[in-house]
Amino acid sequence: MSKARTAGENVANARQLALVRPVSASIGACQLTHLSRSNIDLARARSQHAAYVTALTDLGLSVRELKALPEQPDAVFVEDTALVLDELALITRPGAAVRREECASVSQALAEYRKLQTIEAPGTLDGGDILCADKDIFVGLSTRSNRAGIEQLAHWTSPFGYRVHAIEVKDCLHLKSAVSYLGDRTLLIDPDWIGEAAFESFRCLQRAPGEPGAANVLRVASTLLCSQSFPATEQRLLQAGYRVRSVPSDELAKAEGALTCCSLIINMPAT
Ligand code: CIR
């Protein structure tokens, strides 16, 4: 259930741009790692994606839609193709080789906003494994992201003062399947998928019991975008004092996609 927002609450956020991409007709042939394949209702997936885009807009973001890639089943999950920082954008080399074709159009779009660097072979890196918390960048060592990719990420970001920490991810697809940054040195974590030990200087909130996947939330300005599939975690966040907006996402979740995966957010310079 969406929590109503009053107009103007996210005015301070008006200078952020979200890159998104339409859901491909071929999404049923998506990559799957921890889930079994189930039928994805394309119309429903598209309507959930539209609700996501509406939420981003309502929360004050500008949205730019990248061209559709109908032959690329996972193209809607743009997060995996790049890391966008204020100082540069890093085009990734997704761990699933079939997803690498998604990067060209993202690279072309991001070149309008940032100086670009690129992860090169043998490095692999998925954006879903990259958790930015101020100057700390936690990166999942997963089935998709390897040490060479993480070393390249550190090479390009450390000159700007970022500290890169590799964290092993075993039981879920990406690091951000298991943990999200809520701002103010606070993380939302999935205790079944990741330990708190790696985040010692952070306060950790846990997702509610029985809601695996609920730790992936997207902070937009001062609001957390959450999935309607996880009402108990939503309640926890509300009780902890967060503003929450929730959207339906269960159809996209059948493709192992969550909320952060569907956008790349760019801080735009003030005019
Ligand atoms: C994949 O396995 O690559 C896609 N089916 C799901 C990617 C989800 N991306 C993300 O969590 N950042």
Side-chain angles (χ1 to χ4, degrees), residues 17-95:
L17 173 69
L19 300 187
V20 301
R21 177 151 22 224
V23 178
S24 301
S26 58
I27 190 169
C30 62
Q31 295 292 299
L32 289 174
T33 307
H34 294 276
L35 292 185
S36 309
R37 198 164 296 281
S38 58
N39 183 51
I40 298 178
D41 180 328
L42 180 60
R44 196 157 179 271
R46 286 184 167 154
S47 119
Q48 293 188 350
H49 188 255
Y52 176 85
V53 171
T54 298
L56 296 183
T57 309
D58 288 350
L59 295 173
L61 270 63
S62 305
V63 173
R64 171 173 170 181
E65 188 171 272
L66 299 170
K67 69 170 183 187
L69 293 177
E71 308 299 323
Q72 299 295 320
D74 286 304
V76 64
F77 303 124
V78 287
E79 172 182 64
D80 292 319
T81 58
L83 164 68
V84 185
L85 298 173
D86 288 345
E87 300 87 350
L88 82 162
L90 185 59
I91 306 303
T92 65
R93 185 166 177 270

Side-chain angles (χ1 to χ4, degrees), residues 82-264:
L83 164 68
V84 185
L85 298 173
D86 288 345
E87 300 87 350
L88 82 162
L90 185 59
I91 306 303
T92 65
R93 185 166 177 270
V98 291
R99 294 201 57 194
R100 292 179 193 152
E101 284 177 39
E102 297 168 32
C103 293
S105 54
V106 170
S107 174
Q108 203 175 14
L110 284 176
E112 294 178 35
Y113 311 105
R114 293 292 188 271
K115 183 173 163 52
L116 300 184
Q117 301 298 347
T118 307
I119 298 293
E120 307 287 352
T124 64
L125 193 64
D126 274 18
D129 273 318
I130 307 172
L131 175 71
C132 294
D134 310 320
K135 286 289 185 182
D136 288 300
I137 305 181
F138 297 95
V139 195
L141 253 176
S142 68
T143 57
R144 301 294 177 86
S145 302
N146 65 15
R147 283 207 188 271
I150 297 173
E151 280 164 16
Q152 290 177 44
L153 185 155
H155 170 81
W156 291 118
T157 58
S158 59
F160 300 105
Y162 292 96
R163 298 173 291 267
V164 174
H165 318 272
I167 299 187
E168 226 168 294
V169 171
K170 286 209 184 100
D171 299 320
C172 56
L173 178 58
H174 287 129
L175 179 64
K176 274 190 288 193
S177 314
V179 53
S180 301
Y181 186 48
L182 308 184
D184 304 318
R185 308 300 285 173
T186 303
L187 300 166
L188 177 64
I189 72 155
D190 188 315
D192 290 347
W193 288 345
I194 207 87
E196 292 184 16
F199 308 107
E200 57 181 11
S201 67
F202 290 79
R203 181 168 78 109
C204 292
L205 305 179
Q206 295 190 353
R207 56 103 172 137
E211 294 192 342
N216 181 281
V217 303
L218 177 65
R219 184 178 160 129
V220 182
S222 53
T223 297
L224 301 179
L225 193 61
C226 301
S227 168
Q228 285 177 4
S229 304
F230 307 120
T233 300
E234 183 180 341
Q235 275 310 311
R236 278 193 174 191
L237 292 170
L238 286 167
Q239 277 159 15
Y242 290 94
R243 288 188 177 131
V244 173
R245 163 89 180 237
S246 57
V247 288
S249 68
D250 55 313
E251 208 60 41
L252 289 166
K254 292 180 187 169
E256 246 173 311
L259 296 175
T260 59
C261 332
C262 294
S263 56
L264 278 167

